[in-house]
Amino acid sequence: MSSADGSLRAPWLAARQALVALLVLATTALGGWAMFDILNVDGITVLQGIVLGLFVIIFGWITVALWTAIIGFLLRLTRRDPLTLERLDSPAPTSDPGEHCTALVMPIHNEDPERVVGGLESTCRSLLDQPHVRGFEVFVLSDTRDEAIARREQAAIAGLQRRLAPELAVHYRRRDDNRGRKAGNLADFCRRWGHRYDYLVVLDADSLMGGETLVSLVARMQAHPGVGLIQTVPIPVGACSVFGRFTQFAAALHSPLLATGRCFWQGDAANFWGHNAILRTRAYMACCGLPTLSGTPPLGGEILSHDFVEAALMRRAGWRVHLDVHLDESHEEVPSHLLAFARRDRRWIQGNLQHLRLLGARGLHPMSRLHFLSGALAYLTSLLWGLMLVVSSVDAIGRAQGRHEFFRTGDQLFPDWPIATSNLMLPLLISTGVILLLPKVLGCLLSVIQRPGAFGGRARLLASTLLEIALAILVAPLMMLLHSRFILGVLGGHEVRWDAQDREGRPVPWGEAFRHTWLATLIGVGWAASTYLLATMFFWWLAPVWGGLLIAAPLVRVTSSPTLGRWLTRAGLLRVPAEATPPPVLRRWALAPPGPSMASTPVARPAPPPPEAPGEMPLQSFVAWPPASARPIMAMNHTARSAPPHE
């Protein structure tokens, strides 16, 4: 293993965090001052004050991503570990983690059983290729409500059990109710079988993980008993549509860079993204029993985005939470078209808005509170951006239609000439564009330097980056509108549905595209017409926004096309490393034939799950910490951190 796996200490962490905070605040203040100077022609009106406040929030948000990307770029360029800051050596062969019992747990809900089993079997066979495979078991945790899907699910799992026996045990449990959704599914598993396993590797229905990565995760947990959770960086794979390929290219190019930067200033209080991560079972059970939030859904009731909260509760109890940016074989699938992507965001928006209620929870680490705030801002900034543009449009129209008063008082000797600010607006616009695009440019530059062949060569990498930037600009206005509508819907009391994710590539029919985007198109037409007629100069500044809204339906339709996506593949555009040199787990997955339909065959029953080893998973409190029951937990954790690693 590299030096990153030594003591896992983060030297000068407080100084790092202070440096990042200073850089973000200084950059935000500079941008805010420039906007104030632009608006302060004849004093700041109420509308302009609103614009200024919204601009400062949005500018500060994108500045965090800017400095995170710059730090990640420098660390990866110099091959330094973001946590320990030590130089990274060549990776050594994965060591034997020793005695352990680890469950790969996959919660599922109304998923395509054959697709799920195909990915899971690829992961399992990659694990069986490793020399240190003992101690692993697999558990599929079904929350499926559709009886027809459940029958196919049981037959598919029964077949997987037969194919992997006796090398790897695969277990299956279907719950009678869906209380708590995914978090409740995991909690039910822990209360029934938790004491059977030292570690849990949580997989989503679309997760793919290499065997070497799985063994390495266990080895890291064994070597560092004070660590409660290690999150990997899942990189999307397998997309065939234009939108899917655009999404996975952006993730492959930028996610490692941003994750490295975040690891630098998060230290041992990283976040949990709900899958492709390993948990210490006793820490998870002791700290992560989720209570029901007071009030009614959508902002009350069950906690939807449980992962952020579980990481915060684990860190509150003293367990370290790490983000590992070095393990490569961690993958997932992405929605195949823009509407499916938006539906997934709708679910996340409700969960992240719930987190705002937990900002004042007792005992949380400051970084956990920052995770809650940043998760909500990731979507709230869309609404704030939309509000800023609307208010700016109203102000621009008012200024264009108003008449300037040259003489405000009767005894004024010289006229009050209007002051032009266009010489200030252009530099601010350029600076904002640079801040938005620099993380993408740095990701491209790093890949040009270190691994251009993985993206099809330097020329194709540059062309793909330009294409990705263009698509991101076109998609942004529609996503702004959809996110704003979802946020207002949540605040208005509309609860999210719990549906399976659409990952299968298919062209979105024109009717469906227009049905979901006609309002966006209408808003774009009205916005463009009103600014063109009443504030022509602002019309041109606003062109990227109303232009993206005008073409919303064609954009959804064209980017959902698998045919066009395959053409891009043949042209070598939007290529990702997983396509250039796919690891064994992805090669198996790509070659796996689709499972047979079980509709007309007798239903095969999976073997019953193993004997239960029940344990407690007490509900946690957000208003009292530490309760008396938490003192043994914290003492246990202190003992674990001071204990020597497994031999």
Side-chain angles (χ1 to χ4, degrees), residues 571-589:
L573 296 176
L574 300 181
R575 191 178 189 185
V576 295
E579 294 172 332
T581 53
V585 64
L586 295 185
R587 290 200 297 270
R588 279 197 181 93
W589 180 59

Side-chain angles (χ1 to χ4, degrees), residues 269-280:
N271 210 353
F272 177 33
W273 300 331
H275 59 97
N276 292 46
I278 188 169
L279 312 173
R280 191 176 299 274

